[in-house]
Amino acid sequence: MVGLIDLNTVEEDCPLPLSPDSSTASSTFSSALSPRTNNHMDPSGSSSLCLELWHACAGPLISLPKKGSPVVYLPRGHLEHVGSDSNFPNPVLDLPPHISSLVVDVKLHADVVTDDVYAQVSLLPVIEQSEQKWSEGEAEVDLEDDDFNLYPKSSTPHMFCKTLTASDTSTHGGFSVPRRAAEDCFPPLDYTQQRPSQELIAKDLHGLEWRFRHIYRGQPRRHLLTTGWSAFVNKKKLVSGDAVLFLRASNGELRLGIRRAAQVKGFSAIPSACIRHLNQRALLDVPKAISEGRVFNVYYDPRGTSSEFVVPCRKFFKSLDCTLAPAMRFKMRVEADDGAERRCSGLITHLTDLDPVRWDDKESDRCSRISPWEIEPSGLVPSLSSTIMPGFKRSRLGIPPLQPDHPTSNGIGSSDSKESTRFQKVLQGQENTGFTSPYNRIRKLEHSCDIGNGSSYTVPINAEKSMGYFESFRVHEVLQDQETSANPSHSRAWVVNENDVNGGFNPPPTNQGFMFHASPPMSNAPLHSPFSVLTSPPAGKAFRSWKGSKHFRLEFRHSSSKEQSANKVSGSDSRSSSCRLFGISLGEGRTVASKLGS
Amino acid sequence: MVGLIDLNTVEEDCPLPLSPDSSTASSTFSSALSPRTNNHMDPSGSSSLCLELWHACAGPLISLPKKGSPVVYLPRGHLEHVGSDSNFPNPVLDLPPHISSLVVDVKLHADVVTDDVYAQVSLLPVIEQSEQKWSEGEAEVDLEDDDFNLYPKSSTPHMFCKTLTASDTSTHGGFSVPRRAAEDCFPPLDYTQQRPSQELIAKDLHGLEWRFRHIYRGQPRRHLLTTGWSAFVNKKKLVSGDAVLFLRASNGELRLGIRRAAQVKGFSAIPSACIRHLNQRALLDVPKAISEGRVFNVYYDPRGTSSEFVVPCRKFFKSLDCTLAPAMRFKMRVEADDGAERRCSGLITHLTDLDPVRWDDKESDRCSRISPWEIEPSGLVPSLSSTIMPGFKRSRLGIPPLQPDHPTSNGIGSSDSKESTRFQKVLQGQENTGFTSPYNRIRKLEHSCDIGNGSSYTVPINAEKSMGYFESFRVHEVLQDQETSANPSHSRAWVVNENDVNGGFNPPPTNQGFMFHASPPMSNAPLHSPFSVLTSPPAGKAFRSWKGSKHFRLEFRHSSSKEQSANKVSGSDSRSSSCRLFGISLGEGRTVASKLGS
DNA sequence: TTGTCTCCCATTGGGAGACAA
DNA sequence: TTGTCTCCCAATGGGAGACAA
């Protein structure tokens, strides 16, 4: 049984008492050990208080989609959120890399056993027309800024959050309340008394009441919670490093939440076990739901911030406009130790999947992988692409992956600039394969960066064997069964792998209608969502014909200045290995387009 | 991480440390709270001791298939083992009701958190030929008796099992060891001393050592475990009612296991949460594995005895030979309170899904549903069918569901006997629909039994809404979209529902080649495995053409004395309701054969 | 202002025999 | 023979100010 806050209804009772078995992750597993609670919310306005508490527990970074808002759902990001596992079948292998969806419902929950907060987001896969509209015409659909960030931060009430010290969690004595916090959140004490004290009653996310003796004593005087405190610590299994959270509502009621210290595996916060389990089961329904055009659920862990797999449409497509490149500076919202929101800046160092960024505050063990839509380029360093190719600034155009023997007419292949020479320094010692396109140059750069200065940054942080997550993998470089029906030298199709995306994947210079398509990596190596999937509008067409059958057809249209043609590539899905860097690969499918630049 | 005992290899280490995530049910969920153990087994013969301990914990009723033995796998029984759940997709809907398989591996495990023992059975779906062989020619494949019951009971070592009393689990004092148990299992004390004592070291299933002070004291003297005992009780979260188990191996080492009191829901022992979860995930792989002819795993909970979903081939097919009917007496192995094996006898009272049996010891709250292959008819009461139809004794022939307007030549439809008149007494008050076939008579009987004498037995024990398990259901009696390509009056096909099976489903009297096919019930009402699925040999052909596509074709061949013909019935799967009693229904498929006897 | 320490003393609970079912 | 009780006393841990960072 989980505490449930329904954002969409104002019913007095929780209308959906989940069947005991459906919440296996949370309660069934420990129901014998934990007391059952009835989670009837107080109808008199305190349900909105719960909402405040939920957001307080979720932290400042949470951005939840609004009911009715358009989003992009990333199945492989979802899979990674769940964690990969040899036993666990990969249900999204045959799905397109991203799925435009409509948020039809958002419910806030909290696990009864662990108090983990999570959101149940119900998504309806959108049909072709509206999808097309969203992605193509940004002007048409001017999404409001508050499609996400549903909870108004300005209204944050009297609240404090304190990370527990060793003394707070020790068996001797209670909880030392910061002075300002106590004065702000707790009812005032009668300071005329010798040792002023009162009983505080605070409700947790499930509506469970906790009683504490609040006393002002000691020399010098301080606010303490004594009786009742250790029971709370024990029941919630709090340890020093976890944080508690008090919140006083407008009606004076006190609410109490917890934020456990992030479970960090290899610098990357992982979602809690109960949420992983919910998503495991949810994920299994996704393929069927999508094929049937039916609503499906995903569970979003606001504390495991590393995997956004539901991204607001606008944010997602906007991030396509922005070209990322090494030496580019950026800013990003992060959560500070005290739970507050900060902005941190950093530098894109590599174009690899591993440690692509360096943060300005070096000692931080912040996650070292970022999503394009999470950051803002800080604009100080000019974009590499726009410098290299003056003709193609931002927007969705950028560095074209031209082949040396097929230079396009605008002479981009031979362009040079301070940026590119500056980065070419690190190329020394690498054999020159004769590739001179800027795209290829960036590739080389990436490798040389790894070798040149990356000694302290090249630890494969995501290759934690113990987790089974994010295993580093070597994608086969072999191209199997190359179909030559598409002329390689003219094909505009290639794999967008994590590096491409992170390094600012750049489509070929066309006037309109280019497309690119992300390649799923090898079937048993889940790709981190931020890097896995980007598809510009027309690709929707492609995956739609792919969807529902093992046979797929891709249409590549490139209306460049010279030629107006359409290449069609088709093939049938059969098991073979994936390819690396160049070539088109679909799921476990045969590689159908060939390597570029060879 | 789970303790693992590999029955098939004698490797010194546990060779397969499951990835942490694959054992979500057991360790990932509580890994933060429970200490990690390394489960390296002592190579010097103690791994066989672990095996003994595992079986001791599993209880006397467990029968595990041997590696290499042929079994029948019942997907819907598996699903029920897992528990149904609206959230949880039903992955076996499209599967045939039973699947002949080969046991390719059996591994014994124990959950680290709960100490639940379970077996991981790897099954390989068998291909047509061998399947045919097993089911058709029993003489050809003479299965050994020890295909199951792998563990030799005779070799049970010095062992005792004691259900914990309130004093044993209280915070004051330790564990009172039964005298004989202490003398049998523990090293002898030096009784010349004033208060003889020693330190006992016992290893649990995971190889973890527990130390206890064993002392002989008190007035009168008794054996006690003091120091260390309460730590054990706390760590294992034992409560009075649970049982502990000490076992002394031939090498003198002491082993220690636990058997928790059965979690009973509505008189039916349910599998532990961790095993349910393992099976949930395993089940999702089953359809794909079967379609690919690949090995899949199932997890068997020896303590949750109610759901056998892997049945030895011979046992399964043998049970087809036996006609069950009301008033029939039977015997069955059960586990007594002290954990020992008993034989209990009972009476088949009803032919319903609910409470079909009455046990001789009335006060027992034993499960009131049985599987045909779990029991032995005790032969005192003659089989109803053989009495009614002298021509068709045991074997697979029995009461033919004849239509009154199509009596067969041997005049069975008009037979009468003491048995049938005796049971017809209770028919008074029921309207006579004019059906006179014995089959129909049994149907009526069943209903009248419910009304006549069943007041204390008609509680639908399996309709526990709280569990979501075993929900009682009313199958629609409507036959939708009857296809008349098969002449109803000549078709030999009809639904075998739970009642038919329990009541001794009887195929029509043909010389050879009849078939019958179980109907899955309504999609959201999982059927209890014992009653769900029975298919005689030729049906394999049918479901194999059904398998893998939504379109199915059934061939009904009945070479009766009069006519030699083959009816083919085909249709396409579409969602519709199931039918009751008569007619063919496949999964959620359209009913293709019509009602018999109307 | 607040984290840690130490002291005080009430409560908890292991360990023993008494006693009875 | 063994389950429960009560007594004894050591261990635990809440609650206070001292003290220092």
Side-chain angles (χ1 to χ4, degrees), chain A residues 339-358:
Chain A
E341 181 180 344
R342 293 270 162 74
R343 277 185 177 273
C344 276
S345 57
L347 177 76
I348 296 176
T349 58
H350 299 166
L351 297 169
T352 55
D353 186 30
L354 311 174
D355 292 286
V357 300
R358 187 193 313 172

mmCIF file of all heavy atoms in Angstrom, chain A residues 339-358:
data_model
loop_
_atom_site.group_PDB
_atom_site.id
_atom_site.type_symbol
_atom_site.label_atom_id
_atom_site.label_comp_id
_atom_site.label_asym_id
_atom_site.label_seq_id
_atom_site.Cartn_x
_atom_site.Cartn_y
_atom_site.Cartn_z
ATOM 1 N N GLY A 339 20.286 20.564 0.129
ATOM 2 C CA GLY A 339 19.009 20.296 -0.500
ATOM 3 C C GLY A 339 18.480 21.463 -1.301
ATOM 4 O O GLY A 339 17.421 21.375 -1.901
ATOM 5 N N ALA A 340 19.180 22.551 -1.309
ATOM 6 C CA ALA A 340 18.718 23.716 -2.061
ATOM 7 C C ALA A 340 19.144 23.591 -3.512
ATOM 8 O O ALA A 340 19.990 22.769 -3.869
ATOM 9 C CB ALA A 340 19.287 24.988 -1.454
ATOM 10 N N GLU A 341 18.566 24.421 -4.328
ATOM 11 C CA GLU A 341 18.891 24.395 -5.740
ATOM 12 C C GLU A 341 20.065 25.334 -6.014
ATOM 13 O O GLU A 341 20.135 26.427 -5.480
ATOM 14 C CB GLU A 341 17.671 24.853 -6.549
ATOM 15 C CG GLU A 341 17.895 24.830 -8.037
ATOM 16 C CD GLU A 341 16.662 25.280 -8.804
ATOM 17 O OE1 GLU A 341 15.584 25.308 -8.195
ATOM 18 O OE2 GLU A 341 16.807 25.587 -9.995
ATOM 19 N N ARG A 342 20.987 24.893 -6.804
ATOM 20 C CA ARG A 342 22.127 25.712 -7.197
ATOM 21 C C ARG A 342 22.257 25.689 -8.703
ATOM 22 O O ARG A 342 21.674 24.858 -9.376
ATOM 23 C CB ARG A 342 23.432 25.135 -6.605
ATOM 24 C CG ARG A 342 23.546 25.215 -5.128
ATOM 25 C CD ARG A 342 24.199 26.513 -4.661
ATOM 26 N NE ARG A 342 23.910 26.726 -3.243
ATOM 27 C CZ ARG A 342 24.486 26.024 -2.263
ATOM 28 N NH1 ARG A 342 25.398 25.134 -2.544
ATOM 29 N NH2 ARG A 342 24.170 26.244 -1.014
ATOM 30 N N ARG A 343 23.088 26.546 -9.194
ATOM 31 C CA ARG A 343 23.487 26.437 -10.596
ATOM 32 C C ARG A 343 24.974 26.161 -10.616
ATOM 33 O O ARG A 343 25.750 26.824 -9.939
ATOM 34 C CB ARG A 343 23.202 27.748 -11.344
ATOM 35 C CG ARG A 343 21.776 27.803 -11.784
ATOM 36 C CD ARG A 343 21.457 29.010 -12.622
ATOM 37 N NE ARG A 343 20.071 28.906 -13.045
ATOM 38 C CZ ARG A 343 19.719 28.260 -14.144
ATOM 39 N NH1 ARG A 343 20.624 27.735 -14.937
ATOM 40 N NH2 ARG A 343 18.442 28.160 -14.465
ATOM 41 N N CYS A 344 25.349 25.183 -11.361
ATOM 42 C CA CYS A 344 26.756 24.888 -11.466
ATOM 43 C C CYS A 344 27.163 25.005 -12.916
ATOM 44 O O CYS A 344 26.382 24.726 -13.827
ATOM 45 C CB CYS A 344 27.064 23.479 -10.956
ATOM 46 S SG CYS A 344 27.282 23.449 -9.194
ATOM 47 N N SER A 345 28.377 25.402 -13.102
ATOM 48 C CA SER A 345 28.865 25.498 -14.464
ATOM 49 C C SER A 345 29.967 24.486 -14.682
ATOM 50 O O SER A 345 30.612 24.009 -13.746
ATOM 51 C CB SER A 345 29.374 26.908 -14.740
ATOM 52 O OG SER A 345 30.372 27.242 -13.797
ATOM 53 N N GLY A 346 30.167 24.139 -15.896
ATOM 54 C CA GLY A 346 31.183 23.150 -16.225
ATOM 55 C C GLY A 346 31.615 23.290 -17.663
ATOM 56 O O GLY A 346 31.199 24.197 -18.375
ATOM 57 N N LEU A 347 32.432 22.366 -18.017
ATOM 58 C CA LEU A 347 33.047 22.413 -19.344
ATOM 59 C C LEU A 347 32.879 21.047 -19.982
ATOM 60 O O LEU A 347 33.059 20.019 -19.327
ATOM 61 C CB LEU A 347 34.536 22.726 -19.176
ATOM 62 C CG LEU A 347 35.407 22.754 -20.430
ATOM 63 C CD1 LEU A 347 35.145 24.038 -21.205
ATOM 64 C CD2 LEU A 347 36.875 22.653 -20.050
ATOM 65 N N ILE A 348 32.506 21.035 -21.224
ATOM 66 C CA ILE A 348 32.470 19.767 -21.950
ATOM 67 C C ILE A 348 33.890 19.419 -22.348
ATOM 68 O O ILE A 348 34.536 20.180 -23.079
ATOM 69 C CB ILE A 348 31.567 19.865 -23.186
ATOM 70 C CG1 ILE A 348 30.119 20.135 -22.746
ATOM 71 C CG2 ILE A 348 31.652 18.593 -24.014
ATOM 72 C CD1 ILE A 348 29.182 20.342 -23.895
ATOM 73 N N THR A 349 34.380 18.331 -21.857
ATOM 74 C CA THR A 349 35.776 17.984 -22.114
ATOM 75 C C THR A 349 35.904 16.949 -23.214
ATOM 76 O O THR A 349 36.751 17.052 -24.081
ATOM 77 C CB THR A 349 36.423 17.408 -20.848
ATOM 78 O OG1 THR A 349 35.686 16.264 -20.430
ATOM 79 C CG2 THR A 349 36.449 18.440 -19.754
ATOM 80 N N HIS A 350 35.082 15.945 -23.127
ATOM 81 C CA HIS A 350 35.204 14.837 -24.068
ATOM 82 C C HIS A 350 33.913 14.672 -24.836
ATOM 83 O O HIS A 350 32.884 15.199 -24.456
ATOM 84 C CB HIS A 350 35.485 13.525 -23.330
ATOM 85 C CG HIS A 350 36.742 13.543 -22.548
ATOM 86 N ND1 HIS A 350 37.034 12.597 -21.612
ATOM 87 C CD2 HIS A 350 37.770 14.401 -22.560
ATOM 88 C CE1 HIS A 350 38.204 12.877 -21.078
ATOM 89 N NE2 HIS A 350 38.664 13.962 -21.627
ATOM 90 N N LEU A 351 34.018 13.887 -25.839
ATOM 91 C CA LEU A 351 32.808 13.522 -26.559
ATOM 92 C C LEU A 351 32.478 12.059 -26.331
ATOM 93 O O LEU A 351 31.742 11.456 -27.074
ATOM 94 C CB LEU A 351 32.993 13.803 -28.050
ATOM 95 C CG LEU A 351 33.205 15.296 -28.320
ATOM 96 C CD1 LEU A 351 33.649 15.514 -29.742
ATOM 97 C CD2 LEU A 351 31.920 16.056 -28.044
ATOM 98 N N THR A 352 33.054 11.504 -25.303
ATOM 99 C CA THR A 352 32.812 10.089 -25.020
ATOM 100 C C THR A 352 31.590 9.933 -24.142
ATOM 101 O O THR A 352 31.059 10.895 -23.600
ATOM 102 C CB THR A 352 34.000 9.477 -24.267
ATOM 103 O OG1 THR A 352 34.235 10.267 -23.104
ATOM 104 C CG2 THR A 352 35.222 9.462 -25.144
ATOM 105 N N ASP A 353 31.220 8.718 -24.011
ATOM 106 C CA ASP A 353 30.139 8.377 -23.105
ATOM 107 C C ASP A 353 30.596 8.522 -21.659
ATOM 108 O O ASP A 353 29.809 8.737 -20.745
ATOM 109 C CB ASP A 353 29.699 6.933 -23.379
ATOM 110 C CG ASP A 353 28.478 6.551 -22.575
ATOM 111 O OD1 ASP A 353 27.670 7.456 -22.290
ATOM 112 O OD2 ASP A 353 28.342 5.376 -22.243
ATOM 113 N N LEU A 354 31.887 8.383 -21.468
ATOM 114 C CA LEU A 354 32.428 8.394 -20.115
ATOM 115 C C LEU A 354 33.009 9.761 -19.798
ATOM 116 O O LEU A 354 33.850 10.268 -20.533
ATOM 117 C CB LEU A 354 33.517 7.324 -19.991
ATOM 118 C CG LEU A 354 33.098 5.949 -20.523
ATOM 119 C CD1 LEU A 354 34.271 4.994 -20.493
ATOM 120 C CD2 LEU A 354 31.931 5.415 -19.740
ATOM 121 N N ASP A 355 32.576 10.313 -18.722
ATOM 122 C CA ASP A 355 33.093 11.585 -18.246
ATOM 123 C C ASP A 355 33.201 12.640 -19.314
ATOM 124 O O ASP A 355 34.284 13.130 -19.624
ATOM 125 C CB ASP A 355 34.485 11.377 -17.645
ATOM 126 C CG ASP A 355 34.422 10.582 -16.393
ATOM 127 O OD1 ASP A 355 34.001 11.132 -15.381
ATOM 128 O OD2 ASP A 355 34.761 9.395 -16.460
ATOM 129 N N PRO A 356 32.121 13.000 -19.868
ATOM 130 C CA PRO A 356 32.224 14.004 -20.931
ATOM 131 C C PRO A 356 32.370 15.428 -20.411
ATOM 132 O O PRO A 356 32.656 16.316 -21.202
ATOM 133 C CB PRO A 356 30.912 13.833 -21.688
ATOM 134 C CG PRO A 356 29.963 13.308 -20.671
ATOM 135 C CD PRO A 356 30.755 12.527 -19.673
ATOM 136 N N VAL A 357 32.170 15.608 -19.129
ATOM 137 C CA VAL A 357 32.212 16.982 -18.626
ATOM 138 C C VAL A 357 33.150 17.109 -17.432
ATOM 139 O O VAL A 357 33.449 16.137 -16.742
ATOM 140 C CB VAL A 357 30.800 17.476 -18.191
ATOM 141 C CG1 VAL A 357 29.847 17.433 -19.361
ATOM 142 C CG2 VAL A 357 30.283 16.674 -17.029
ATOM 143 N N ARG A 358 33.604 18.309 -17.230
ATOM 144 C CA ARG A 358 34.366 18.644 -16.030
ATOM 145 C C ARG A 358 33.668 19.804 -15.337
ATOM 146 O O ARG A 358 33.360 20.812 -15.960
ATOM 147 C CB ARG A 358 35.793 19.039 -16.398
ATOM 148 C CG ARG A 358 36.683 19.226 -15.185
ATOM 149 C CD ARG A 358 37.964 19.908 -15.541
ATOM 150 N NE ARG A 358 38.551 19.289 -16.726
ATOM 151 C CZ ARG A 358 39.614 19.782 -17.362
ATOM 152 N NH1 ARG A 358 40.196 20.890 -16.939
ATOM 153 N NH2 ARG A 358 40.085 19.190 -18.430
#
